[in-house]
Amino acid sequence: MQDATEQRSHGHRWMSGSEVRRAFVHFFEERGHVETPSSSLVPHNDPTVLLTTAGMQQMTPYFLGLETPPAVRLCSVQKCFRTVDIDEVGDESHCTFFFMLGNFSVGDYFKSDSLRWSWEFLTEVMGLPADRLYPTVHPTDEDAYRIWKDEIGVPEERIGKLSDNWWGPVGPTGPNGPDSEIYFDLGPEAGEIGDGPGESSRFLEIWNNVFMEFFQAPDGSRTPLPKQNVDTGMGLERLTALMQGVSSIYDTDLYQTIITRAGELAGVTYGADPDSDVALRVIADHARGATFLISDGVLPGNEGRSYVLRRILRRAIRYGRRLGLTQPFMAEMARVVIGQFGADYPALTERQRQIEKVLTHEEETFGRTLSNGLHRFQDEVAKLRASAPQGEEVMQLTVPGAVAFRLYDTFGFPLDLTVDLAREQGMAVDIEGFDAAMAEQRVISRGGVAFKDAGRERNALYVERGVTSTEFLGYTETGAGATILAILDPEGFVETAEAGDEVEIILDRTPFYGESGGQIGDKGEIRTETGLVSIDDTFKPAPALFVHRGIVAEGFIRTGEEAQASIDAERRQAIRRNHTATHLLHKALREVLGTDTHQAGSLVAPDRLRFDFTSLDAMTPEQVGRVGEIVSEQVLASTPVETQVLPYAEAVEDGAMALFGEKYGDTVRVVTIGEFSKELCGGTHLDHTGQVGPFVIVSEGSVAAGVRRIEAVTGTAAIERGMRQQAVLDTLARDFRSPWTELPDQVAALREKLRATEREVGQLRAELASSSAGDLIDSRVDVSGISVVAGKLPVKDKGDLRTAGDRLRDKLGSGVVALGAEIDGKPSLLALVTPDVIQKGIKAGDLVRASATHIDGRGGGRPDLAEAGGKDASGLDAALAGVPALVQSLLNANETR
């Protein structure tokens, strides 16, 4: 590390990373820019992006006109994380986490100011020699080329033209434009000039100016944007390396503070051993990335950005083990990172306790996995090598998928770790085989139950644990602080649960409603300082005990931890609408059908309500309509919904309706809707009936003897249904060229016209079949005195075939009729035999059974009439041609008897 007063050979002074940062921000503030704080590494309102990878991401809403910027000139030092190079980290150049310096113009200045300021900052503020800076432009960007050459004075031979100097669009359409990069010549020691910037490793890209001036249409055409924007980006680490005269970003003070501390813990010195240097660089980069990710709310897990965090943590831990760091060390690395960057990024200091806690737990947990599985992996590698044919290269060896899965399933060895270790051994891993083994395991798992105690009484299970009740806050709260009293996984009670574990959680207090009284349980999340649990269901094994079932999505949770429990409030509001509507529906049914009607069951879900009620008769359309009217009248009245907790006897005496067969305690909750409805109910309800919104009965029908069911929707679901129905009406009205009010008459007229047409077509088909049948009479053959008619008819269905057969038999008077037809692509056969011929031993069933073999089918029937169907219509002609011979054969057989 050079002293701050030391001068580089090309004249500029040494600057720390912090000084470079401050100089950049100050330079652009002097030119009217407003510094915007770095956005989170977790992109805001953009689920399509895993992590923040560039400074322009937080500017995109301003560029697109979706949000108003705090100023038209902005600058920032943005935290960035890119995952593409994780496996490469350890060399002297690649990293995952870095800081991006950027200045931005939202429809203000453009190319001239942007390029001139970039040049001024690099040459005058940073002191980089102008003759070692090489700008590049897109071949079509004559403006940028002219600015570099004529306004700034860069010689033509140092201005490159690169076809990839074009940014965007993201997707087939969108803003895009040329960009101009600035490269630094590292000198002869870095290589030959070759083809120049963008091609030779001698030139290091340090800054990129992007000029978004066009909009690309789906056909590829580009039109100028009404407002042109500037987005620039420059890596702080690269610029700092230049300012400190070092060849690697890891030799700068931005990394050396962390590397030095890691070396002290491991007893090694950076630069003394290449293998140790690789490990120290991995630890430095991943410690920075992990610390910042956790400070922005990311916790280790098995999916998405949580998996990225877990992966870099495990990689750093593994390289730490190579240095002999067998005790947890990542929390100490985080302390160094926080000490170095906490002043500029306060979230680091504010969440230091959480950061250290998460890192320590992950390291302890993974350390055990590493210890248990590493020697198993080495054993498997030794077996593979021993079994390989002599002379076969190690590169050709592949770890079988079944072996990789066994390491994962038995020892908790993650697949990516097996892949990393195999790569280091010059081997591959059978990923497809691993996936197949995983799929097979899932099939086996689905054959059982998630929780092995499913056959036990749930209440007794928790009583054994000393957990018997939960304070329910959900009538008034959608979120609440709580303490985790117990955690259960499929194996039993546990103190800790990790990301990916399916769990049941008991809290001392909760806003989550447990499924009961027809109302389904709440969904939501439980978040602790170190973990996040996605709750998929809440149920009550006992009246006062609420169990939250879900999956640990990120990090880990522990019994005794403080937690924040939050329900899906939008989902709950939809459930409240449907529950209050259910009470209105119940009373409306009793008004329309009589007081003998009672509730026989219900389901209150977010997307619909289902209400079962006693009734011996089906409801008429008028009754269903009247019930809907009554409910809607109460909704429009916007009557307050009030609740009271009363002794059971007092509530019933006061007129509250209790459900038959329902068990109630000594005290009950009474839900009152003005003078209209009063019921005993423990569910969640609206503040007033107007919040129900539209109410639509979807169906009414029978579900059991004496029990009917109504399904209905409210609120958003009712609006969506109404909009779909309106779209259908509008389409029909356009097609019929009639107002929607006349559509019923139009449809009725069309149906009558269709019926008349069908009758006419039927008559025509019958006449055609009769005509065709009459033609067949002329082709009859005589078989030992028996008239036999056989042939194909062009009929639409089997009914027409039978009609033609009957008429042909009647015309024939005495004999055998065999008809065939291709109906809907499949062959059909029909045989009819008159009574006098039956007495000679000829039966219709025998004829079709024998003939059906030609059409790959089967058939049978009565002696006078039989049918057959098949799969091969090409055999119809052969089947019919063989009928006379069949008749003769049956006659011969009968004579011999």
Side-chain angles (χ1 to χ4, degrees):
M1 186 69 66
Q2 294 179 313
D3 185 84
T5 61
E6 185 177 343
Q7 300 295 308
R8 291 278 309 275
S9 60
H10 44 69
H12 70 267
R13 70 181 183 88
W14 188 98
M15 294 179 71
S16 69
S18 180
E19 288 173 325
V20 172
R21 171 203 296 267
R22 287 197 298 271
F24 177 85
V25 173
H26 179 68
F27 177 84
F28 282 99
E29 284 181 333
E30 285 186 327
R31 285 151 184 80
H33 291 65
V34 173
E35 182 185 9
T36 58
S38 171
S39 62
S40 170
L41 286 171
V42 178
H44 175 65
N45 286 340
D46 190 353
T48 64
V49 180
L50 191 66
L51 294 164
T52 299
T53 60
M56 67 84 61
Q57 278 177 246
Q58 68 166 318
M59 306 298 170
T60 300
Y62 307 147
F63 291 156
L64 296 178
L66 302 176
E67 296 179 17
T68 302
V72 293
R73 296 184 178 187
L74 303 167
C75 64
S76 69
V77 183
Q78 174 64 47
K79 302 173 291 186
C80 298
F81 195 106
R82 295 180 179 174
T83 62
V84 293
D85 293 326
I86 289 179
D87 292 329
E88 306 302 323
V89 172
D91 62 14
E92 295 188 353
S93 61
H94 289 92
C95 63
T96 58
F97 176 84
F98 62 97
F99 299 101
M100 183 174 285
L101 308 171
N103 60 286
F104 309 91
S105 166
V106 186
D108 186 44
Y109 63 84
F110 203 46
K111 294 180 184 179
S112 180
D113 286 335
S114 181
L115 296 178
R116 285 190 298 103
W117 287 337
S118 296
W119 187 262
E120 183 181 347
F121 177 76
L122 292 175
T123 58
E124 297 182 19
V125 179
M126 294 291 98
L128 295 176
D131 61 358
R132 296 180 71 171
L133 294 174
Y134 286 69
T136 66
V137 299
H138 191 267
T140 63
D141 193 356
E142 297 178 0
D143 287 343
Y145 185 86
R146 178 189 55 78
I147 293 166
W148 282 119
K149 176 178 173 292
D150 298 336
E151 294 187 20
I152 299 174
V154 179
E156 286 186 81
E157 62 269 18
R158 292 220 316 273
I159 305 174
K161 293 185 176 181
L162 301 178
S163 59
D164 62 354
N165 276 162
W166 194 278
W167 182 90
V170 179
T173 66
N176 63 102
D179 60 71
S180 181
E181 298 168 326
I182 303 174
Y183 289 81
F184 184 81
D185 182 1
L186 296 173
E189 62 273 18
E192 298 294 329
I193 290 180
D195 293 329
E199 302 294 339
S200 171
S201 60
R202 172 167 168 165
F203 297 93
L204 178 71
E205 180 195 342
I206 54 175
W207 206 339
N208 191 14
N209 285 250
V210 178
F211 307 116
M212 284 179 280
E213 57 180 312
F214 299 106
F215 184 88
Q216 181 167 306
D219 63 2
S221 62
R222 291 170 179 158
T223 54
L225 288 168
K227 285 189 177 181
Q228 298 171 326
N229 305 310
V230 173
D231 152 36
T232 83
M234 176 166 54
L236 173 63
E237 288 77 4
R238 283 190 181 182
L239 183 57
T240 300
L242 290 179
M243 299 306 298
Q244 295 180 6
V246 294
S247 60
S248 169
I249 59 174
Y250 290 98
D251 292 329
T252 67
D253 65 329
L254 294 171
Y255 287 96
Q256 278 296 314
T257 306
I258 310 168
I259 288 174
T260 299
R261 181 55 182 149
E264 290 173 354
L265 294 176
V268 299
T269 301
Y270 187 67
D273 175 70
D275 290 337
S276 295
D277 290 351
V278 169
L280 290 170
R281 286 192 289 265
V282 170
I283 291 170
D285 173 78
H286 292 353
R288 290 205 324 169
T291 302
F292 275 93
L293 282 170
I294 298 171
S295 75
D296 281 340
V298 180
L299 296 172
N302 297 331
E303 296 181 357
R305 59 183 67 97
S306 295
Y307 175 69
V308 172
L309 172 58
R310 170 161 283 176
R311 187 178 173 195
I312 63 170
L313 278 177
R314 289 177 168 180
R315 197 164 184 265
I317 294 164
R318 190 160 58 83
Y319 275 91
R321 295 295 187 269
R322 292 185 181 183
L323 295 177
L325 294 172
T326 57
Q327 297 301 312
F329 66 93
M330 287 299 289
E332 175 61 22
M333 295 296 96
R335 283 190 281 273
V336 176
V337 173
I338 293 168
Q340 189 172 7
F341 300 107
D344 292 310
Y345 301 94
L348 293 172
T349 304
E350 295 167 3
R351 297 184 176 177
Q352 180 166 350
R353 177 175 175 272
Q354 178 193 21
I355 293 168
E356 294 181 12
K357 193 173 181 181
V358 170
L359 290 174
T360 299
H361 175 83
E362 188 73 9
E363 188 167 5
E364 289 174 346
T365 303
F366 182 63
R368 291 190 293 270
T369 298
L370 203 57
S371 299
N372 293 336
L374 197 55
H375 73 278
R376 298 284 181 179
F377 174 81
Q378 297 296 352
D379 287 346
E380 295 293 346
V381 170
K383 291 178 185 176
L384 284 172
R385 285 179 170 160
S387 61
Q390 291 297 318
E392 185 171 347
E393 294 292 332
V394 173
M395 280 294 291
Q396 296 176 313
L397 293 180
T398 299
V399 178
V403 171
F405 179 74
R406 186 163 62 250
L407 289 169
Y408 165 80
D409 193 43
T410 305
F411 303 104
F413 228 51
L415 177 62
D416 61 278
L417 178 55
T418 301
V419 171
D420 286 345
L421 291 172
R423 185 188 300 115
E424 292 168 7
Q425 300 272 1
M427 303 169 69
V429 177
D430 177 13
I431 304 296
E432 290 185 2
F434 176 90
D435 291 340
M438 176 69 82
E440 183 179 352
Q441 177 67 19
R442 286 174 178 155
V443 170
I444 295 172
S445 298
R446 282 196 293 267
V449 293
F451 286 83
K452 293 182 178 179
D453 61 280
R456 295 187 54 189
E457 176 61 44
R458 308 291 294 171
N459 191 25
L461 183 68
Y462 285 105
V463 168
E464 290 177 11
R465 186 72 174 183
V467 180
T468 57
S469 65
T470 305
E471 180 186 358
F472 178 60
L473 308 172
Y475 291 132
T476 57
E477 306 294 334
T478 58
T483 300
I484 298 177
L485 300 182
I487 303 171
L488 181 75
D489 72 7
E491 301 298 325
F493 286 102
V494 295
E495 293 301 310
T496 303
E498 307 280 344
D501 290 349
E502 184 177 354
V503 293
E504 289 183 356
I505 298 174
I506 304 294
L507 303 175
D508 63 335
R509 55 208 302 265
T510 184
F512 284 78
Y513 183 86
E515 180 173 354
S516 57
Q519 179 174 327
I520 67 174
D522 279 326
K523 295 183 178 183
E525 64 179 34
I526 296 174
R527 184 180 289 274
T528 71
E529 188 178 44
T530 60
L532 171 67
V533 185
S534 295
I535 301 301
D536 296 322
D537 188 25
T538 310
F539 62 95
K540 294 167 64 176
L545 187 62
F546 292 71
V547 178
H548 312 77
R549 177 173 286 177
I551 294 177
V552 182
E554 300 174 11
F556 67 96
I557 58 170
R558 283 191 175 129
T559 301
E561 271 192 317
E562 296 300 309
Q564 183 66 31
S566 304
I567 66 169
D568 182 337
E570 184 176 344
R571 180 177 181 271
R572 162 71 80 77
Q573 183 67 3
I575 292 173
R576 293 173 71 201
R577 280 196 293 267
N578 285 333
H579 205 152
T580 298
T582 299
H583 283 220
L584 297 176
L585 174 62
H586 188 187
K587 183 58 185 297
L589 282 167
R590 288 169 63 84
E591 285 192 3
V592 172
L593 301 181
T595 55
D596 289 340
T597 296
H598 296 285
Q599 180 174 337
S602 68
L603 171 69
V604 179
D607 58 335
R608 70 192 192 284
L609 65 90
R610 188 179 72 210
F611 189 80
D612 296 346
F613 57 97
T614 57
S615 178
L616 295 175
D617 301 316
M619 294 180 68
T620 66
E622 292 74 21
Q623 288 175 322
V624 173
R626 181 55 188 149
V627 167
E629 287 177 1
I630 293 172
V631 173
S632 296
E633 289 167 1
Q634 292 299 317
V635 170
L636 289 174
S638 199
T639 307
V641 180
E642 299 174 336
T643 60
Q644 288 178 286
V645 177
L646 299 171
Y648 174 77
E650 181 181 339
V652 173
E653 184 179 345
D654 197 32
M657 183 183 298
L659 300 183
F660 178 77
E662 189 77 17
K663 294 181 179 179
Y664 296 99
D666 294 335
T667 59
V668 292
R669 188 165 178 265
V670 181
V671 177
T672 303
I673 304 175
E675 299 297 322
F676 184 73
S677 169
K678 181 178 289 188
E679 291 190 34
L680 305 186
C681 179
T684 59
H685 285 271
L686 300 169
D687 298 322
H688 54 83
T689 59
Q691 293 173 306
V692 170
F695 172 86
V696 178
I697 294 176
V698 175
S699 65
E700 189 277 338
S702 173
V703 291
V707 178
R708 310 289 297 178
R709 171 173 293 174
I710 279 181
E711 294 202 13
V713 290
T714 66
T716 303
I719 292 172
E720 290 174 352
R721 179 183 173 84
M723 291 177 67
R724 290 196 301 270
Q725 290 176 328
Q726 183 64 47
V728 171
L729 283 175
D730 290 344
T731 300
L732 290 174
R734 284 194 301 270
D735 291 344
F736 280 98
R737 294 186 176 91
S738 298
W740 68 268
T741 53
E742 296 179 9
L743 286 178
D745 292 338
Q746 291 278 5
V747 172
L750 183 63
R751 291 179 63 184
E752 180 56 40
K753 184 176 180 181
L754 181 61
R755 281 194 290 266
T757 302
E758 288 176 344
R759 287 193 296 270
E760 183 178 352
V761 169
Q763 291 172 357
L764 291 173
R765 282 206 310 266
E767 291 174 5
L768 178 62
S770 296
S771 176
S772 299
D775 294 339
L776 286 177
I777 287 283
D778 297 335
S779 63
R780 60 187 171 188
V781 296
D782 184 277
V783 178
S784 298
I786 298 174
S787 295
V788 177
V789 176
K792 286 199 300 184
L793 290 179
V795 297
K796 182 182 178 181
D797 54 39
K798 292 182 179 180
D800 288 349
L801 189 64
R802 293 189 199 103
T803 300
D806 288 340
R807 291 184 179 181
L808 190 56
R809 180 194 56 201
D810 293 343
K811 286 185 178 181
L812 192 62
S814 172
V816 174
V817 176
L819 299 177
E822 186 175 341
I823 299 171
D824 296 329
K826 294 183 179 181
S828 290
L829 288 171
L830 173 72
L832 301 97
V833 181
T834 58
D836 58 313
V837 176
I838 293 174
Q839 293 178 359
K840 297 179 181 180
I842 309 301
K843 297 179 181 178
D846 295 335
L847 291 173
V848 296
R849 274 191 290 271
S851 299
T853 59
H854 292 281
I855 60 171
D856 189 18
R858 299 172 60 187
R862 304 191 308 269
D864 62 326
L865 186 148
E867 294 176 300
K871 301 175 183 176
D872 184 8
S874 66
L876 268 177
D877 289 337
L880 294 168
V883 171
L886 279 174
V887 173
Q888 184 64 64
S889 176
L890 291 172
L891 282 173
N892 294 341
N894 190 54
E895 289 175 358
T896 59
R897 287 197 294 269

